[in-house]
């Protein structure tokens, strides 16, 4: 594959394990990729999470001006200019919407019976991230092993998603990571973020590439098929790193 002018990556399960920092090897591969092309990263997390997982792991001389961050599933876009992350856009939910969404999530947990809010959790379960409200079923700081164990066949997340979407017809309700559901404004999803970034950079969608670990049906990356970008599915961060390396040896 020739080197695309823009490569976009999902974060959890693609560049890193869920909520973990980039590995040293991945940080190195990504920083070399940034010297040859533009890179976008799109995920359900908020900006601080991106800085922690990605930016702070990169070598000090990384070409951050070639890196574009799309937190909260593409509801916002940040670029690095004049030594700081500048907001290009952010589609914010109001506090009132956020409170209503939280209420609906709690009711859905009760109705489906798959999640008990009175049981102990690892940190907050519902987080308002400006442009998104996220349910993390076990809490924001739950250990990966517990998260992987909670819903391996996605049945619990699907049940929650269905009921929440039914009760929030004016919002977009998507399965996020291993234990999470993301609620954004209607029409905001990874496809929206991908489109906005291509537009911002003046790169035709078919020239850009999206790399993710959940491009299949109901997967967290599936929305990207609504755009015209090329896609590549990976099975793990290791697989992604090998794929990145394949572009670096071409140079
Ligand atoms: Mg993923």
């Amino acid at each position: 594959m020739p080197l695309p002018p823009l490569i976009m990556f999902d974060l959890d399960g693609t560049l890193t394990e869920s909520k973990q920092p980039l590995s040293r090897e991945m940080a190195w591969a990504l920083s070399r990729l940034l010297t040859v092309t533009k890179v976008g990263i799109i995920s359900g997390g908020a900006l601080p999470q991106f800085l922690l997982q990605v930016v702070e792991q990169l070598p000090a001389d990384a070409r951050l001006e070639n890196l574009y961050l799309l937190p909260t599933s593409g509801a916002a876009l940040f670029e690095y200019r004049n030594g700081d992350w500048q907001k290009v856009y952010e589609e914010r939910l109001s506090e009132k919407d956020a409170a209503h969404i939280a209420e609906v999530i709690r009711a859905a947990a009760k109705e489906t019976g798959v999640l008990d809010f009175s049981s102990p959790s690892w940190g907050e379960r519902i987080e308002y991230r400006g442009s998104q409200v996220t349910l993390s079923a076990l809490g924001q700081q739950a250990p990966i092993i517990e998260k992987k164990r909670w819903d391996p066949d996605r049945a619990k997340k699907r049940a929650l998603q269905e009921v929440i979407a039914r009760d929030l017809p004016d919002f977009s309700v998507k399965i996020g990571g291993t234990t999470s559901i993301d609620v954004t404004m209607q029409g905001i999803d990874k496809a929206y973020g991908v489109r906005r970034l291509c537009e911002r950079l003046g790169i035709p969608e078919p020239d850009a590439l999206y790399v993710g670990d959940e491009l299949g049906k109901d997967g967290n990356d599936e929305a990207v098929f609504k755009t015209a970008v090329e896609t590549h599915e990976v099975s793990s961060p290791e697989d992604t790193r090998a794929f990145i390396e394949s572009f670096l040896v071409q140079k």
Side-chain angles (χ1 to χ4, degrees):
M1 192 185 285
L3 180 68
L6 168 64
I7 307 182
M8 289 164 284
F9 295 93
D10 162 56
L11 184 52
D12 290 350
T14 298
L15 289 176
T16 68
E17 295 290 344
S18 179
K19 294 217 173 173
Q20 298 303 297
L22 293 181
S23 69
R24 272 175 71 95
E25 295 75 19
M26 181 63 91
W28 176 237
L30 208 54
S31 71
R32 279 184 300 152
L33 191 62
L34 285 167
T35 66
V36 294
T37 193
K38 294 187 192 309
V39 172
I41 301 176
I42 182 163
S43 160
L47 184 66
Q49 186 69 27
F50 275 60
L51 300 181
L52 203 69
Q53 277 182 270
V54 179
V55 177
E56 287 172 19
Q57 312 305 323
L58 293 172
D61 61 352
R63 298 266 307 266
L64 296 181
E65 63 277 14
N66 278 342
L67 182 62
Y68 296 83
L69 304 178
L70 294 119
T72 51
S73 312
L77 168 61
F78 291 84
E79 59 186 20
Y80 196 77
R81 297 293 177 269
N82 305 318
D84 205 0
W85 292 96
Q86 314 279 350
K87 187 190 294 177
V88 178
Y89 71 81
E90 184 177 31
E91 310 292 355
R92 288 182 70 85
L93 292 167
S94 69
E95 304 262 344
K96 191 168 155 255
D97 283 342
H100 175 56
I101 291 165
E103 222 168 87
V104 168
I105 290 174
R106 286 172 181 277
K110 210 169 251 176
E111 181 180 330
T112 58
V114 300
L115 180 62
D116 178 4
F117 268 82
S118 66
S119 68
S121 66
W122 286 272
E124 287 299 318
R125 281 194 166 99
I126 297 181
E127 193 190 12
Y128 171 41
R129 296 173 177 171
S131 42
Q132 177 172 291
V133 173
T134 294
L135 163 68
S136 300
L138 303 180
Q140 292 291 323
Q141 284 88 42
I144 296 181
I145 179 132
E146 297 292 339
K147 297 205 311 189
K148 286 194 165 164
R149 197 181 290 163
W150 183 68
D151 187 27
D153 61 359
R154 304 167 69 84
K156 290 177 183 166
K157 285 183 297 252
R158 280 210 190 95
L160 284 166
Q161 181 197 19
E162 201 181 305
V163 172
I164 296 168
R166 181 198 68 199
D167 293 345
L168 291 174
D170 297 335
F171 298 88
S172 170
V173 182
K174 294 278 180 310
I175 292 177
T178 332
T179 58
S180 62
I181 305 270
D182 296 324
V183 181
T184 54
M185 281 166 62
Q186 188 68 268
I188 304 289
D189 56 15
K190 286 190 172 183
Y192 179 84
V194 163
R195 277 193 200 114
R196 291 289 304 257
L197 181 56
C198 288
E199 259 170 46
R200 173 81 179 164
L201 300 177
I203 294 171
E205 286 177 16
D207 293 352
L209 175 67
Y210 182 90
V211 181
D213 68 317
E214 288 191 32
L215 283 157
K217 181 149 172 48
D218 297 331
N220 171 258
D221 303 305
E222 189 196 8
V224 170
F225 287 116
K226 292 191 280 182
T227 72
V229 298
E230 293 289 325
T231 58
H232 176 79
E233 180 149 7
V234 290
S235 56
S236 64
E238 240 342 272
D239 189 18
T240 307
R241 192 169 69 85
F243 184 64
I244 292 174
E245 297 285 350
S246 74
F247 289 113
L248 299 173
V249 295
Q250 287 173 22
K251 293 308 277 187

